[in-house]
Amino acid sequence: MCGITGFIHFLAANTVDSSTKISEHGSTADQQLLAQMNQAQFHRGPDEGGEYLDEHVALGHRRLSIIDLSSGQQPMISDDGDYVLIFNGEVYNFKQTRVELEALGHIFHSHSDTEVILHAYMQWGQACVDKFQGMFTFAIWHKSKQHLFIARDRLGIKPLFYAMIDGTLYFASELKSITLVPGLNKKIDVKAIEQYFALGYAAEPHTIYQEVAKLPPGYTLSLNVGDTSPKIEQYWDVSYAQQVEMAEEDYLEEMVDQFKSAVDSHMNADVPLGSFLSGGVDSSAVVAMMSQLSQEKSVISSSDNGSIKPVITCSIGFDVKDYNETDFARMVAKDYKTDHHENIVASDDFELVDLLAGLYDEPYADSSAMPTYRVCQLAREKVTVCLSGDGADELLAGYRRYGLMMNEEKVRSILPYSIRKPLFGTLGKLYPKLDWAPQFLRAKTTFQSLAMDTTEGYFHGVSLLNDAQRKALFSDELYQELKGYTALEVFREHEANFDGNDPLSLIQYLDIKTYLVGDILTKVDRASMAHSLEVRVPFLDHKFVEWTAKIPTDLKIKNGCGKYILKKAMEPHLPHDVLYRKKMGFRVPLSDWFRGPLKQKLRDSLLSEQMRNSGLFNMKTIETWLDDHQSGRKEYSAPLWTLLMFASFYKQAEGQ
């Protein structure tokens, strides 16, 4: 895992700076800026760093050595000096692709996947991305053609930010490198604010800044010197157009085969490798497959005399029983005799609150980023590469909200929209909102959702702050500047590209395009890279993703059981209590924190002069939410945490 950064002066007028002598190695100013941008991402690759400059382009790289430790340095230059590559990520099928390239006459000098990418581009051009199975962002400069090509992996596991300023395109793995660019206008994007308070993050391709964008997953960016703007194209999308009908027994067998193959491809490394083990279904399934594969390979190999190295597993527990899953993690660790390590995090482990803003560079509201940071910290003490179970919930319908949405869909299928909208719209207004009550009693949200179509209803259900709360929170000036825009448009844009025909597949597709990349993968990338730890996600092997999209929906949720097909397939491999217990997740006791140890810090942050002077918020609303929550009258922990994370970002962004 690594960090990449660079820029290209694509307007001819910008290739010569009248105040600075330009050589074939670039200007002094370019060299200084590139060094600063590259150094800002040092944590992503502490093992090595490299830079390349010429009169048009500057490319920087920080390396965390995983494969072929002695070679594969970057930027990597082709033998003829015409191609230069920087790369972040892993290509898992690089050995097979190398064999294909060698048959075509290519000669290799290392055993790295980096060199395979370089030669694949030399052979197939931009179509090389179709060959790669993995997680990546890479940039290739074709010097003789004065052409820059950038690609991001299909699911968005690895990030890529970019900005265009006065005829120069700047890009980097993290936003903090882009913010170092002189002349960058850090004007906040009001659409991103609306997205953040609805979803907890700025949705692709937006960032918090108007002038900076994210390259979406499954997209490429290409640019020639002399162009006026880059060409951005999609090369992959997941299709739900065809579900394959076959016997459940056959699906169970194929689930194990497909997933085991994905895990196998993710286990290639020349450094210590392990796995997160939360005690939930997904990470436990990863550990089960890793352990079985390790045993199978040890039997086949004669070099180790049949000895089996246990899988290294890492878990984080909490000192509050309702939040602690370590007992279940230990069950799996014991069954597979893993080399198990765990740390217990105190329920008052809130010292990371201020650190998070610096890690994410823009507002990010998932509080589970804190325990994720801690488990990455623990894992890095033992390994350099860790596998995780992320992605399974989106692919196989594991979230509880999927089942709730499908119950709503039964009502939608019976009552036409013309009846539902006035009926449930009225009930939603009249019914009291019981935030403190169990889910089945919170009918207000359900009634409101039933007055909407599937996409709007799902958006309403997953929003951190609903439409009314966001309207109450935003200042009149911000609300007017939005000009009617709502974050629902993010979902609508993705809905337009959905090719399936059932509601469950639709909301899975929406989550893959929004929540998975904007929240889950962002959380893991920043938390892991803060510790120079590479995290791999075998559930998001794109071939496995494509296969799961063909599974009939009645095998994803069956008899109220989400991820049915995965759980059923794992029955011979995992304890029943692990497979069928209530889902917990990495929760943090925010409500208690905000009424106790963080009470004053919360008030000071949210009611600061900086927040008051931002012009973004109705401060009376914030004061009311604080008073109501801290008095115990109402539950506002989610909106207050979202505000706290914004305040932390804003304080750092303003340099105070």
Side-chain angles (χ1 to χ4, degrees), residues 524-550:
V524 174
D525 177 80
R526 305 305 188 279
S528 61
M529 285 288 91
H531 299 290
S532 303
L533 175 74
E534 174 175 300
V535 174
R536 300 177 179 180
V537 276
F539 277 109
L540 296 183
D541 180 289
H542 80 271
K543 292 183 178 179
F544 185 75
V545 172
E546 291 170 345
W547 179 77
T548 61
K550 294 180 171 60

Coordinates of all heavy atoms in Angstrom, one line a residue, residues 524-550:
V524 N -11.7 2.7 6.5 CA -10.7 1.7 6.7 C -9.4 2.2 6.0 O -8.3 2.0 6.6 CB -11.1 0.4 6.0 CG1 -10.0 -0.6 6.0 CG2 -12.3 -0.2 6.8
D525 N -9.5 2.9 4.9 CA -8.3 3.4 4.2 C -7.5 4.4 5.1 O -6.3 4.2 5.3 CB -8.6 4.0 2.9 CG -7.4 4.6 2.2 OD1 -6.6 3.8 1.6 OD2 -7.1 5.8 2.3
R526 N -8.2 5.4 5.6 CA -7.5 6.4 6.4 C -7.0 5.8 7.7 O -5.9 6.1 8.2 CB -8.4 7.6 6.7 CG -9.0 8.3 5.4 CD -8.0 8.7 4.4 NE -8.7 9.4 3.4 CZ -9.4 8.9 2.4 NH1 -9.5 7.6 2.2 NH2 -10.1 9.7 1.5
A527 N -7.9 5.0 8.4 CA -7.4 4.5 9.7 C -6.3 3.5 9.6 O -5.3 3.5 10.4 CB -8.6 3.7 10.4
S528 N -6.3 2.7 8.5 CA -5.2 1.8 8.3 C -3.9 2.5 7.8 O -2.8 2.2 8.3 CB -5.6 0.7 7.3 OG -5.9 1.3 6.0
M529 N -4.0 3.4 6.9 CA -2.9 4.1 6.4 C -2.2 5.0 7.5 O -1.0 5.3 7.4 CB -3.2 4.9 5.2 CG -3.5 4.1 3.9 SD -1.9 3.4 3.2 CE -1.8 1.9 4.1
A530 N -3.0 5.5 8.5 CA -2.4 6.2 9.6 C -1.4 5.4 10.3 O -0.5 6.0 10.9 CB -3.5 6.7 10.5
H531 N -1.5 4.1 10.2 CA -0.6 3.2 10.9 C 0.3 2.4 9.9 O 1.0 1.5 10.3 CB -1.4 2.2 11.8 CG -2.2 2.8 12.8 ND1 -1.6 3.4 13.9 CD2 -3.5 3.0 13.0 CE1 -2.5 3.9 14.7 NE2 -3.7 3.7 14.2
S532 N 0.3 2.9 8.6 CA 1.1 2.2 7.6 C 0.7 0.7 7.5 O 1.6 -0.2 7.4 CB 2.6 2.4 7.8 OG 2.9 3.7 7.9
L533 N -0.6 0.4 7.6 CA -1.1 -0.9 7.5 C -1.9 -1.1 6.2 O -2.8 -0.3 5.9 CB -2.0 -1.2 8.7 CG -2.7 -2.6 8.7 CD1 -1.8 -3.7 9.0 CD2 -3.9 -2.6 9.7
E534 N -1.6 -2.2 5.5 CA -2.4 -2.4 4.3 C -3.6 -3.3 4.7 O -3.5 -4.4 5.3 CB -1.6 -3.1 3.2 CG -2.5 -3.5 2.0 CD -1.6 -4.1 0.9 OE1 -0.8 -3.4 0.4 OE2 -1.9 -5.3 0.5
V535 N -4.8 -2.9 4.3 CA -6.0 -3.7 4.5 C -6.6 -4.1 3.2 O -6.8 -3.3 2.3 CB -7.1 -2.9 5.4 CG1 -8.4 -3.7 5.5 CG2 -6.5 -2.6 6.7
R536 N -6.9 -5.4 3.1 CA -7.4 -6.0 1.9 C -8.8 -6.5 2.1 O -9.1 -7.0 3.2 CB -6.6 -7.2 1.4 CG -5.1 -6.7 1.0 CD -4.3 -7.9 0.6 NE -2.9 -7.5 0.3 CZ -2.0 -8.4 -0.1 NH1 -2.2 -9.7 -0.2 NH2 -0.8 -7.9 -0.4
V537 N -9.7 -6.4 1.1 CA -11.1 -6.7 1.3 C -11.6 -7.8 0.3 O -12.1 -7.4 -0.8 CB -12.0 -5.4 1.2 CG1 -12.0 -4.7 2.5 CG2 -11.5 -4.5 0.1
P538 N -11.4 -9.1 0.6 CA -11.7 -10.1 -0.3 C -13.2 -10.1 -0.8 O -13.4 -10.6 -1.9 CB -11.3 -11.4 0.4 CG -11.2 -11.0 1.8 CD -10.8 -9.6 1.9
F539 N -14.1 -9.7 0.1 CA -15.5 -9.7 -0.4 C -15.7 -8.7 -1.6 O -16.6 -8.9 -2.3 CB -16.4 -9.2 0.8 CG -16.8 -10.3 1.7 CD1 -16.3 -10.4 3.0 CD2 -17.7 -11.3 1.3 CE1 -16.7 -11.4 3.9 CE2 -18.1 -12.3 2.2 CZ -17.6 -12.4 3.5
L540 N -14.8 -7.8 -1.7 CA -14.9 -6.8 -2.8 C -14.0 -7.1 -4.0 O -13.8 -6.3 -4.9 CB -14.6 -5.4 -2.3 CG -15.6 -4.9 -1.2 CD1 -15.2 -3.5 -0.8 CD2 -17.0 -5.0 -1.7
D541 N -13.5 -8.4 -4.1 CA -12.9 -8.8 -5.3 C -14.0 -8.7 -6.4 O -15.1 -9.2 -6.2 CB -12.5 -10.3 -5.2 CG -11.9 -10.9 -6.4 OD1 -12.7 -11.1 -7.4 OD2 -10.7 -11.2 -6.4
H542 N -13.7 -8.0 -7.5 CA -14.8 -7.6 -8.4 C -15.4 -8.8 -9.1 O -16.6 -8.7 -9.4 CB -14.2 -6.6 -9.5 CG -13.5 -7.2 -10.6 ND1 -12.1 -7.5 -10.6 CD2 -13.9 -7.7 -11.8 CE1 -11.8 -8.0 -11.7 NE2 -12.8 -8.2 -12.5
K543 N -14.7 -9.9 -9.2 CA -15.3 -11.1 -9.7 C -16.4 -11.7 -8.8 O -17.4 -12.2 -9.2 CB -14.3 -12.1 -10.1 CG -13.4 -11.7 -11.3 CD -12.4 -12.8 -11.6 CE -11.5 -12.4 -12.8 NZ -10.6 -13.5 -13.2
F544 N -16.0 -11.6 -7.5 CA -17.0 -12.1 -6.5 C -18.2 -11.1 -6.4 O -19.3 -11.6 -6.3 CB -16.3 -12.1 -5.1 CG -17.2 -12.7 -4.0 CD1 -17.4 -14.1 -3.9 CD2 -17.7 -11.9 -3.1 CE1 -18.3 -14.6 -2.9 CE2 -18.6 -12.4 -2.1 CZ -18.8 -13.7 -2.0
V545 N -17.9 -9.8 -6.5 CA -19.0 -8.8 -6.6 C -20.0 -9.1 -7.7 O -21.2 -9.2 -7.6 CB -18.5 -7.4 -6.7 CG1 -19.6 -6.4 -6.9 CG2 -17.7 -7.1 -5.4
E546 N -19.4 -9.4 -8.9 CA -20.2 -9.7 -10.1 C -21.0 -11.0 -9.9 O -22.2 -11.1 -10.3 CB -19.3 -9.8 -11.3 CG -18.7 -8.5 -11.7 CD -17.7 -8.6 -12.8 OE1 -17.2 -9.7 -13.0 OE2 -17.3 -7.6 -13.4
W547 N -20.4 -11.9 -9.2 CA -21.2 -13.2 -9.0 C -22.3 -13.0 -8.0 O -23.4 -13.5 -8.2 CB -20.2 -14.3 -8.5 CG -20.8 -15.6 -8.2 CD1 -21.2 -16.5 -9.1 CD2 -21.2 -16.0 -6.9 NE1 -21.8 -17.6 -8.4 CE2 -21.8 -17.3 -7.1 CE3 -21.1 -15.6 -5.6 CZ2 -22.3 -18.1 -6.0 CZ3 -21.6 -16.3 -4.5 CH2 -22.2 -17.6 -4.7
T548 N -22.1 -12.2 -6.9 CA -23.1 -12.0 -5.9 C -24.3 -11.3 -6.5 O -25.5 -11.4 -6.1 CB -22.6 -11.3 -4.7 OG1 -22.1 -10.0 -5.1 CG2 -21.5 -12.1 -4.0
A549 N -24.1 -10.4 -7.5 CA -25.1 -9.6 -8.1 C -26.1 -10.5 -8.9 O -27.2 -10.1 -9.2 CB -24.6 -8.6 -9.1
K550 N -25.7 -11.8 -9.2 CA -26.6 -12.7 -9.9 C -27.4 -13.6 -9.0 O -28.2 -14.4 -9.4 CB -25.7 -13.5 -10.9 CG -25.1 -12.7 -12.0 CD -24.3 -13.6 -12.9 CE -23.8 -12.8 -14.2 NZ -23.0 -11.7 -13.9

